[in-house]
Amino acid sequence: MVTRFFPRTIRARLTTIATLVAGVVFTAAAALTLATVPDNLEGAVRARVELAVRRVASQARLGDLPRVLETPTRVRLLRVVSSTGQVLASSPSFPQDPRITKLRPREYESLVTAELEPPQRSDEPETRYLVMALTVRTPQGPATVYGAASLVDIDRALVWVQLLVYLGTPLVLLAVGGLTWSAIRSALRPVERIRSELAEITGRDLSRRVPVPDSGDEIADLAATTNHTLDRLERSAETQRRFIADASHELRSPIAALRAQLEVANAYPDETDWAATGARALSAAERLTSIIDELLMLARLDAGAVPQRRVVDMCRLVEDHVRRREGARVPILVDLSCGNAPVHGSPLQLDRLLTNLLDNAVRHAATRIEVEVAVRGDRVVVTVTDDGDGIPPQDRERVFERFTRLENARAKEKGGSGLGLPLSREIAAAHGGTLTIADHSPGARLVAVLPLHEET
């Protein structure tokens, strides 16, 4: 069993990651604060006291001491004491704490610093001091300058800093986790609606669409892309259903005709022309085989199957087809002025392409068929022209739909399954080319354009 270090849902995972990141950041910030703030606060107090002591010491050296010393901001205590213990100058609020004046430097001009903790006895003031002492020479003899500042404000500030660190950090992490959870929940709410709607969509009903939020963000793009995908799936499913229905219909007709012929022959064996019946049955079987082959090739093309390819000379391929059709219903005139027209592709599929184009032309031509193979730039152009009834402009795209047969072709019973031209266009597209119908009168002109293969 694999142990999961993170929760299963995206919301919980992102909330956990955000909280962990915030925890690391705030822990590092708290550690830095606790490591630097006390020293910075105390350093500021030391600087103020030292400045005040040196200023008074300078006055003492010159013998210009006032009786009452003025204390600067946050320096509460200043006093100058002679070597005999006489107070030469003092600030008005100097405390009666003998520990302050007991601090004496051993050398002249040497600054001594000490911190006095609150006394243990209750009758003494409970104030913590930062004390500095500096001994200088004065006109009256050696004297020591004392300066002191209370550290109560620093202690109080540090208490607040610790409260903010130890209580504020967990509260901030809880706030980060809660806000992240709420924000992600709000952001993923459209995803939940999309999921719920997708869960209701089945293969039988692809008409439903997922809601697209108005946020304009990536989730809105996801919903729009999902709807486009559903559109394509619906069209594909509809095309597939229509294809199956049309294929069933087209296969049913020759099968029904073959069965009827065989049933009649079986019912009246003595009156049956078995040679003619066999020929008709063979013709129906050949049509069934042709339809099945085209359906299989269409299925492979739809599936994206890539057959083995090699260089195929379209001029030679056209010559082979024309040779096999000698004695056809109408003559086939060939123009192979290009000499050779190499195309890199599947010989089987390219053979099927020409077969379908020529079969279509033979069915509809009145007196002749013209086939031209030309090389134009980096393209091989194969043109098949007949002089039949032609294809109306409004039907020139419809004939490339599967199982589509125009009314004039049905009326004249010219055969065909309606798969030849759609399959030919699919083959041309699979080879990076196109198959279109060009303007021509009389008759129809089909133009297949394929990439020319150039030897490297």
Side-chain angles (χ1 to χ4, degrees):
M1 181 177 178
V2 179
T3 304
R4 297 183 63 89
F5 294 97
F6 286 97
R8 190 176 298 272
T9 64
I10 293 178
R11 185 189 311 167
R13 287 202 299 267
L14 292 179
T15 301
T16 301
I17 292 172
T19 304
L20 289 176
V21 171
V24 171
V25 172
F26 279 101
T27 300
L32 183 63
T33 298
L34 293 176
T36 59
V37 167
D39 291 338
N40 290 337
L41 292 176
E42 191 168 331
V45 174
R46 286 175 181 268
R48 291 192 187 98
V49 175
E50 182 178 355
L51 182 62
V53 168
R54 291 189 182 277
R55 179 178 57 82
V56 173
S58 178
Q59 293 176 337
R61 291 190 196 96
L62 298 175
D64 191 19
L65 279 174
R67 187 64 182 174
V68 177
L69 299 176
E70 294 183 1
T71 57
T73 304
R74 297 189 181 276
V75 179
R76 295 176 54 190
L77 316 172
L78 285 172
R79 176 169 288 184
V80 181
V81 180
S82 66
S83 58
T84 60
Q86 180 185 359
V87 177
L88 302 178
S90 177
S91 59
S93 58
F94 202 90
Q96 301 302 316
D97 191 339
R99 297 178 301 165
I100 296 177
T101 55
K102 287 181 179 179
L103 183 66
R104 290 183 180 274
R106 295 181 179 180
E107 299 177 357
Y108 288 103
E109 304 297 335
S110 176
L111 188 67
V112 178
T113 305
E115 289 187 10
L116 302 181
E117 298 294 334
Q120 300 296 324
R121 300 192 303 273
S122 59
D123 57 340
E124 296 183 4
E126 298 181 358
T127 303
R128 196 164 69 96
Y129 290 104
L130 174 68
V131 181
M132 288 187 177
L134 179 63
T135 300
V136 296
R137 292 182 176 88
T138 68
Q140 292 81 18
T144 302
V145 181
Y146 294 95
S150 174
L151 297 177
V152 173
D153 292 340
I154 294 179
D155 294 339
R156 188 180 298 115
L158 291 178
V159 170
W160 280 106
V161 169
Q162 291 174 352
L163 286 175
L164 289 175
V165 168
Y166 294 116
L167 293 181
T169 299
L171 292 177
V172 169
L173 292 181
L174 287 175
V176 169
L179 290 175
T180 304
W181 179 272
S182 300
I184 296 174
R185 180 181 181 183
S186 177
L188 294 180
R189 190 174 292 116
V191 176
E192 178 60 26
R193 289 197 293 266
I194 294 172
R195 187 203 63 78
S196 301
E197 187 66 26
L198 282 175
E200 298 294 329
I201 297 175
T202 62
R204 296 183 178 180
D205 182 16
L206 293 173
S207 61
R208 299 176 64 170
R209 297 294 179 266
V210 301
V212 180
D214 298 330
S215 56
D217 54 10
E218 291 83 356
I219 295 178
D221 294 340
L222 172 63
T225 303
T226 302
N227 285 337
H228 292 327
T229 303
L230 290 173
D231 290 338
R232 292 195 297 270
L233 285 175
E234 185 179 16
R235 289 194 298 269
S236 176
E238 180 61 29
T239 301
Q240 200 171 44
R241 284 193 290 267
R242 188 170 64 250
F243 178 76
I244 293 173
D246 292 340
S248 301
H249 175 74
E250 292 295 331
L251 290 173
R252 186 184 297 114
S253 298
I255 291 175
L258 177 61
R259 180 172 180 174
Q261 293 170 14
L262 295 177
E263 286 178 348
V264 170
N266 188 55
Y268 305 99
D270 296 333
E271 302 176 8
T272 299
D273 184 352
W274 287 102
T277 300
R280 289 193 297 270
L282 182 61
S283 176
E286 288 177 349
R287 186 182 178 198
L288 279 172
T289 302
S290 176
I291 292 174
I292 292 171
D293 289 342
E294 290 177 338
L295 287 173
L296 288 174
M297 188 169 289
L298 277 171
R300 293 191 186 101
L301 290 171
D302 289 341
V306 181
Q308 290 185 351
R309 297 191 176 192
R310 61 179 178 84
V311 178
V312 179
D313 189 348
M314 296 302 294
C315 291
R316 304 287 81 76
L317 191 60
V318 169
E319 287 180 344
D320 292 341
H321 273 271
V322 173
R323 190 179 303 111
R324 292 200 300 263
R325 293 174 185 274
E326 290 180 354
R329 186 177 65 84
V330 292
I332 301 177
L333 307 180
V334 183
D335 181 2
L336 302 176
S337 57
C338 62
N340 63 340
V343 173
H344 187 261
S346 166
L348 178 64
Q349 292 182 356
L350 293 175
D351 183 80
R352 172 61 69 173
L353 169 66
L354 282 176
T355 298
N356 291 344
L357 294 182
L358 290 173
D359 285 348
N360 180 77
V362 168
R363 281 195 300 269
H364 295 90
T367 60
R368 66 177 184 174
I369 298 172
E370 297 177 0
V371 180
E372 179 187 4
V373 181
V375 176
R376 298 173 185 170
D378 59 349
R379 297 285 172 175
V380 174
V381 181
V382 180
T383 305
V384 179
T385 306
D386 65 72
D387 60 350
D389 295 332
I391 301 174
Q394 65 272 16
D395 293 327
R396 288 180 181 175
E397 283 300 317
R398 196 164 68 87
V399 295
F400 291 109
E401 297 176 2
R402 299 175 184 183
F403 296 108
T404 297
R405 296 171 63 193
L406 301 181
E407 293 300 327
N408 59 349
R410 293 180 182 273
K412 295 182 180 181
E413 297 182 355
K414 293 182 178 179
S417 63
L419 289 174
L421 291 181
L423 177 58
S424 299
R425 172 170 275 190
E426 293 285 348
I427 292 173
H431 286 75
T434 59
L435 176 61
T436 57
I437 299 175
D439 292 331
H440 184 266
S441 182
R445 173 171 290 172
L446 283 88
V447 181
V449 181
L450 300 169
L452 175 68
H453 176 73
E454 298 182 357
E455 296 290 341
T456 56

